[in-house]
Amino acid sequence: RSSTTFILPPLVFSSGNMAGLTDGFGIPYFTNDPAAGKVSPSIVWDYGSFLRDAPSINVLLTQSSINPYPDDQSTLGTVFFWIGFGITGFPALLFFFLTLRREETKRRFHYAMTTAMFVSMLAYYCMARKQGGIALYDQVATGGEPSYRVFYYARYVDWAISSPLIILNLCMLAGATRALTAGLMFSDFLMIVAGLLGALSVTGTKWGWFAFACCAFVPILVALCTVLRKYAREKAPEAEKCYTWLLIITAISWFGYPIIWIIATGTHAISVNAEIVAFTCVDLFAKTVFSFILLFSSSAIEDGSFKDPEKMELPTQYTQSTIYTGVLKS
């Protein structure tokens, strides 16, 4: 039998001596199948240092007892990745030049959204070039049938940076305190990390991580709909109007993410191409539409300062209504 090279990070082995190799958990990488006269892989991908290139699929054992080719993007998925790259790249460049035209003291919103759009652009370029993904085996999602599916972790790197910046913009628009802003941004980051760990899980553990992500999302949603709305209402009519529109966009799109996660990452009910299309559409709505409404509402973003807790009127007593709504009453 000819010797084929398999790259299993971090070591390189040859198929001539793969029998009996196990990972750190005692699970065999490859098992002998004397009846078929071949070697069957338990892990059938080569993604090097987590950057995936198309030629890496060539190292798969095509005579495997299972289908060694993972569900991956086809032409449709690639096209939507390039669409995402273009629709995030153009605003990124536009906002960069708009930032240069603003006074230095009035660039806070532009800095945040320009950074978010550039990060998203790089993530879409990475995925369009067939990088930033790894093939995962998931027995739970397929009811025990062998299945491999490419998971694009690059989008989580994007979300971990861009979504806290969206929270930052909403807080600056409403005039929230620095402490509240930091807390919401940290909760958002935890939500993304939990979602990533869930997506990387190949057992039922993924649903535990998904639950943690949802728990991190709840305080964000409550704050956006209560405390920050109150702050925006007190700030100025223009700020309240702009904030209301941005809140609607954020709420709709951010409810879409977990739904897609369930039917795509969680259960594999849809293909990778369908997942790419769904996430790209929600992503562009959540960022591009959001950013244009925000940055072109010039009167609403004149003041991007935070509230000073020392100048806030603190309540002399708390009522049940005060605690529930987050409204401070004196």
Side-chain angles (χ1 to χ4, degrees):
R1 181 165 61 249
S2 59
S3 178
T4 306
T5 300
F6 298 89
I7 304 178
L8 296 173
L11 300 176
V12 179
F13 301 101
S14 170
S15 63
N17 59 358
M18 291 302 294
L21 281 175
T22 61
D23 61 11
F25 300 96
I27 300 174
Y29 281 125
F30 290 77
T31 57
N32 288 325
D33 185 1
K38 59 191 177 185
V39 176
S40 301
S42 296
I43 298 178
V44 291
W45 62 86
D46 163 27
Y47 289 91
S49 58
F50 296 100
L51 289 178
R52 185 184 60 76
D53 296 307
S56 64
I57 299 299
N58 293 331
V59 304
L60 304 178
L61 278 175
T62 56
Q63 293 183 346
S64 167
S65 59
I66 61 176
N67 179 14
Y69 296 98
D71 183 11
D72 196 359
Q73 61 170 295
S74 64
T75 303
L76 176 63
T78 303
V79 167
F80 266 83
F81 277 147
W82 282 117
I83 290 175
F85 170 75
I87 298 182
T88 55
F90 172 73
L93 294 174
L94 175 63
F95 298 156
F96 174 76
F97 288 109
L98 289 177
T99 302
L100 299 180
R101 295 172 59 89
R102 303 252 327 164
E103 298 178 24
E104 289 190 13
T105 57
K106 298 180 179 180
R107 293 180 178 180
R108 288 184 176 181
F109 294 97
H110 291 72
Y111 284 146
M113 283 316 305
T114 301
T115 301
M117 298 308 291
F118 267 115
V119 170
S120 295
M121 179 193 71
L122 294 176
Y124 276 107
Y125 177 79
C126 178
M127 293 183 288
R129 297 300 300 167
K130 302 185 186 301
Q131 294 182 321
I134 183 171
L136 296 176
Y137 170 74
D138 196 336
Q139 186 175 9
V140 174
T142 57
E145 294 296 326
S147 175
Y148 292 88
R149 180 186 179 100
V150 173
F151 162 66
Y152 287 94
Y153 59 85
R155 61 167 57 101
Y156 285 81
V157 176
D158 168 20
W159 295 340
I161 299 174
S162 61
S163 60
L165 291 175
I166 290 177
I167 294 293
L168 174 62
N169 276 292
L170 289 171
C171 289
M172 289 193 300
L173 178 62
T177 63
R178 286 183 172 86
L180 177 60
T181 301
L184 293 178
M185 291 177 68
F186 182 69
S187 183
D188 181 90
F189 181 76
L190 289 181
M191 176 181 68
I192 302 302
V193 171
L196 172 62
L197 293 174
L200 289 172
S201 301
V202 295
T203 66
T205 307
K206 67 170 61 180
W207 299 111
W209 287 115
F210 178 76
F212 285 128
C214 291
C215 290
F217 176 58
V218 170
I220 298 174
L221 183 63
V222 171
L224 292 180
C225 295
T226 57
V227 181
L228 291 184
R229 281 193 69 185
K230 172 184 175 292
Y231 288 163
R233 190 181 305 115
E234 294 174 347
K235 188 175 183 180
E238 296 83 2
E240 180 186 8
K241 182 179 179 180
C242 181
Y243 180 85
T244 301
W245 279 108
L246 297 180
L247 175 60
I248 293 173
I249 292 173
T250 303
I252 293 175
S253 58
W254 285 24
F255 269 111
Y257 287 116
I259 294 174
I260 299 172
W261 195 99
I262 292 173
I263 62 176
T265 306
T267 63
H268 294 184
I270 60 176
S271 66
V272 170
N273 279 322
E275 177 185 359
I276 292 171
V277 172
F279 271 133
T280 300
C281 291
V282 173
D283 222 24
L284 296 181
F285 180 67
K287 296 174 186 175
T288 306
V289 177
F290 179 100
S291 60
F292 271 99
I293 292 178
L294 174 67
L295 297 186
F296 283 93
S297 300
S298 56
S299 59
I301 61 174
E302 285 297 316
D303 180 17
S305 60
F306 294 98
K307 277 187 179 296
D308 186 352
E310 296 182 358
K311 297 180 180 180
M312 295 174 62
E313 293 185 6
L314 298 178
T316 56
Q317 63 181 2
Y318 290 93
T319 65
Q320 183 177 1
S321 175
T322 301
I323 298 174
Y324 178 75
T325 61
V327 179
L328 297 178
K329 295 181 179 181
S330 58

